Amino acid sequence: MRRLEGKVAVVTGASSGIGRAVTELFLAEGARVVGVGRNTGKLDVLSKELDAGPDFMTHAADLAEDDQARGVIRAAQEAFGGLDVLVNNAGVGYSYKDVRPGSMNTLAETPAADWDHVMGINLGSVVNCSRHALPAMLERGGGSIVNVASILGLVGNPDAHAYTAAKGAIVNLTRSLSTAYAKHNIRANTVCPGYIETPMVADFVDYLNSDEYRYQWNPTGRMGKPIEIANGVLFLASDEASYCNGSVLTIDGGVLAAAP
Ligand SMILES: NC(=O)c1ccc[n+]([C@@H]2O[C@H](COP(=O)([O-])OP(=O)(O)OC[C@H]3O[C@@H](n4cnc5c(N)ncnc54)[C@H](O)[C@@H]3O)[C@@H](O)[C@H]2O)c1
């Protein structure tokens, strides 16, 4: 029996990186999937490359917008008859190249509009999609929400303050959701990736692959691969994780376990 047989899933940020790996794995495990991204062209390429037939559809939306998030959940209900799994994976890094090339910013360096942008996508997309997914899951008699935060949602960082604030909020919102909806058979859990080979970290991939980072900060000595995060998301989405609720699964090669 495949691990998501008969389940309907929405995966946000499906066109690239971790979201694409989750989408491919979910389809292989028997789910019907709505893959969401902002860019219609990228979603068309994804559809063509996956060639998954009637089990897969794409939906373009800016998930910082509540109405568009509502449209995503409705699309899943109309196309596949309901919703069982929501993977809130969409997100943006924070690279303000005009100020500090290839870097991320402190609060004092972050203009208000940029703060709102990062919070609107990284936290707002989770809030908006979950707001509309929860009633759909209640109708279904249960469900599983898996939120992709970051190790930067668990520890502080000298830079990237909008990003760390959004990811930390995701971790604790997920805990709150888990306490509220457990009685309705809806679980909510968080995956916190370390540094993973995706377009998001392209600006500082040289540093992450440097000996200084690999040996001083990362006990495993390499970056992670999207499938290594997707495997954790699959576990939490599936019934195998029936007693996981409000959990935080760190998948980081041991970065957070290491003292420098
Ligand atoms: N790559 C890493 O090292 C790393 C580490 C920790 C956490 N994460 C988190 O993992 C998640 C996936 O990131 P990734 O590395 O695969 O990056 P990515 O850039 O490859 O993918 C991000 C996806 O999010 C989508 N997206 C962005 N803004 C959106 C919006 N407003 N509405 C809808 N979709 C939107 C993009 O279209 C894209 O599909 C993110 O939440 C990211 O913060 C990544």
Side-chain angles (χ1 to χ4, degrees), residues 8-12 32-37 57-63 65-89 124-140 142 144-147 186:
V8 177
V10 164
V11 179
T12 72
R32 286 172 291 164
V33 179
V34 180
V36 187
M57 63 176 278
T58 60
H59 190 97
D62 178 352
L63 298 172
E65 302 294 331
D66 182 62
D67 277 2
Q68 296 189 36
R70 179 191 288 123
V72 168
I73 304 304
R74 277 203 189 135
Q77 291 178 298
E78 283 167 18
F80 296 138
L83 179 68
D84 303 294
V85 175
L86 169 65
V87 180
N88 284 311
N89 163 77
S125 66
V126 176
V127 171
N128 294 335
C129 289
S130 302
R131 178 186 288 125
H132 300 295
L134 284 162
M137 290 178 176
L138 287 173
E139 268 180 38
R140 197 83 155 169
S144 175
I145 296 176
V146 184
N147 292 328
I186 297 172

Side-chain angles (χ1 to χ4, degrees), residues 6 47 51 106 113 148 163 175 184 211 223-224 246 250 260:
S47 279
D51 194 20
T106 64
V148 179
Y163 187 86
R175 292 191 184 106
H184 298 295
D211 285 352
M223 292 178 69
T250 301

Side-chain angles (χ1 to χ4, degrees), residues 13-19 37-38 61-64 89-92 121 148-150 163 167 193-196 198-201:
S15 60
S16 146
I18 293 168
R38 277 172 306 184
D62 178 352
L63 298 172
N89 163 77
V92 285
I121 295 177
V148 179
S150 168
Y163 187 86
K167 294 299 187 179
Y195 292 104
I196 311 301
T198 75
M200 183 174 282
V201 296

Side-chain angles (χ1 to χ4, degrees), residues 215-230:
Y215 298 121
Q216 185 177 352
W217 294 101
N218 184 348
T220 305
R222 65 168 175 84
M223 292 178 69
K225 298 186 185 313
I227 185 65
E228 294 178 294
I229 304 304

